[in-house]
């Protein structure tokens, strides 16, 4: 029998590349990565199709023969139109199952850019797809860098959430749940999986780094308005950055409560223990050394 074809969007990013690698190793899936250029297709190392969310003419050809999709889009206000156009094209292409990478939070989250993803979840459901929604907490990979900028420089972690304790998840574990959902949609349809395996403040992470790496690390809390000014000066999406700033400001003021949660979804889906922050640091030892 022909194996179902799974398209992995964001195939060259941190999470998408992990999903692509794990999905390609799954014997029950025929996998293709979606990339925005021929140059990226040549270096991907896996079968690829050209797909650009901002070029609607690329959607139908890329979706030809696709049965299941791992869907993720960038954080800009354009994500609403990008996802609508893609999902409409996927419906016309008879795609059966969508695994959507969303954002943290309960359905009533006050964080604006997190609820953007919830509107996309509702559009997926309204469109009639079988679906699995993934709502990961903070990526452990962000400790290595975010948006091309290092978070830790010469042993100093700088961030904008004061002493808030956040819930963390390894991107590799997100990918594992995504691939399980792609390969067994009958088991994971109509499910929303919140993913978070370790609760740590940045000060606690600095202590773990010091112990594991054997070099001194420290956390320096910075004011959230510093983040907003730098992000806007760099030309980042205004709506997203304003929402991120408001979230950081709430953490700094101590008014953003209820986020110190752990979730059993990873164990429930995979049957194994999720990575802790310490596990992640040990695995990336050389990247943290300075």
């Amino acid at each position: 029998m022909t194996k179902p074809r799974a398209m992995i969007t964001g195939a060259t990013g941190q999470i998408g590349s992990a999903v692509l690698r794990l999905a390609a190793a799954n014997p029950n899936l025929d996998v293709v990565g979606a990339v925005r250029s021929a140059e990226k297709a040549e270096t991907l190392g896996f079968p690829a199709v050209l797909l650009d969310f901002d070029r609607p003419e690329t959607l139908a050809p890329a979706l030809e023969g696709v049965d299941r999709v791992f869907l993720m889009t960038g954080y800009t206000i354009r994500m609403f139109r990008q996802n609508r156009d893609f999902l409409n094209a996927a419906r016309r292409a008879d795609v059966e199952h969508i695994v959507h990478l969303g954002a943290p939070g309960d359905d009533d989250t006050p964080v604006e850019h997190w609820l953007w993803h919830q509107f996309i979840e509702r559009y997926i459901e309204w469109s009639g797809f079988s679906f699995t929604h993934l709502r990961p907490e903070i990526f452990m990979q962000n400790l290595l860098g975010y948006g091309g900028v290092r978070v830790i420089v010469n042993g100093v972690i700088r961030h904008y959430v004061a002493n808030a304790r956040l819930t963390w998840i390894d991107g590799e574990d997100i990918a594992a749940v995504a691939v399980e959902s792609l390969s067994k949609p009958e088991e994971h349809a109509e499910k929303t999986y919140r993913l978070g395996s370790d609760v740590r403040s940045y000060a606690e992470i600095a202590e773990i780094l010091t112990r594991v790496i054997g070099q001194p690390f420290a956390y320096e809390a910075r004011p959230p308005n510093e983040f907003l000014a730098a992000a806007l000066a760099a030309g980042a999406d205004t709506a997203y950055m304003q929402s991120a700033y408001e979230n950081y400001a709430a953490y700094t003021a101590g008014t953003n409560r209820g986020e110190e949660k752990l979730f059993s979804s990873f164990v429930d889906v995979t049957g194994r223990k999720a990575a802790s922050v310490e596990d992640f640091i040990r695995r990336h030892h050389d990247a943290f050394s300075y």
Side-chain angles (χ1 to χ4, degrees), residues 7-212:
M7 171 190 282
I8 312 302
T9 67
T12 59
Q14 282 188 9
I15 305 301
S17 62
V19 175
L20 180 62
R21 175 171 37 80
L22 290 179
N26 188 298
N28 299 315
L29 294 173
D30 172 31
V31 178
V32 61
V35 295
R36 287 190 297 176
S37 69
E39 292 77 16
K40 288 187 176 182
E42 290 176 0
T43 60
L44 190 63
F46 296 94
V49 292
L50 298 180
L51 185 150
D52 187 333
F53 287 112
D54 289 319
R55 295 172 57 208
E57 68 274 14
T58 69
L59 301 179
L63 284 161
E64 187 173 347
V66 171
D67 303 294
R68 303 167 189 176
V69 173
F70 173 73
L71 177 61
M72 60 178 295
T73 49
Y75 251 137
T76 71
I77 200 67
R78 295 197 311 273
M79 68 192 295
F80 290 104
R81 178 185 56 77
Q82 291 170 340
N83 279 277
R84 183 205 63 182
D85 290 350
F86 179 86
L87 291 165
N88 288 349
R91 183 170 53 183
R92 290 191 291 268
D94 294 325
V95 170
E96 301 165 356
H97 190 75
I98 303 286
V99 178
H100 175 252
L101 183 69
D106 297 317
D107 287 342
D108 60 352
T109 177
V111 181
E112 185 173 343
H113 63 283
W114 292 354
L115 65 85
W116 294 355
H117 277 292
Q118 295 181 13
F119 280 98
I120 293 166
E121 291 175 354
R122 301 295 82 77
Y123 196 84
I124 291 169
E125 296 168 15
W126 175 83
S127 298
F129 294 104
S130 170
F131 65 85
T132 307
H133 300 319
L134 307 184
R135 292 187 186 179
E137 300 294 311
I138 311 302
F139 299 166
M140 293 180 191
Q141 277 71 10
N142 289 356
L143 296 171
L144 299 172
Y146 186 76
V149 178
R150 291 182 64 87
V151 174
I152 306 174
V153 179
N154 294 327
V156 179
I157 309 172
R158 293 182 175 86
H159 216 285
Y160 311 94
V161 295
N163 295 315
R165 303 185 79 232
L166 309 175
T167 306
W168 298 83
I169 182 71
D170 187 352
E172 293 287 332
D173 290 345
I174 299 170
V177 174
V179 172
E180 282 291 313
S181 301
L182 287 169
S183 64
K184 302 172 185 174
E186 66 283 354
E187 294 183 17
H188 304 289
E190 330 310 90
K191 299 288 181 65
T192 296
Y193 292 132
R194 294 194 66 180
L195 299 167
S197 62
D198 201 357
V199 175
R200 298 287 180 181
S201 68
Y202 280 105
E204 290 174 313
I205 290 173
E207 293 173 358
I208 296 171
L209 283 162
T210 298
R211 173 167 48 82
V212 172

Side-chain angles (χ1 to χ4, degrees), residues 224-247:
N225 59 348
E226 178 182 283
F227 158 82
L228 182 61
L232 296 181
D237 183 83
T238 303
Y240 173 32
M241 291 302 131
Q242 178 65 34
S243 177
Y245 158 74
E246 292 171 359
N247 192 31

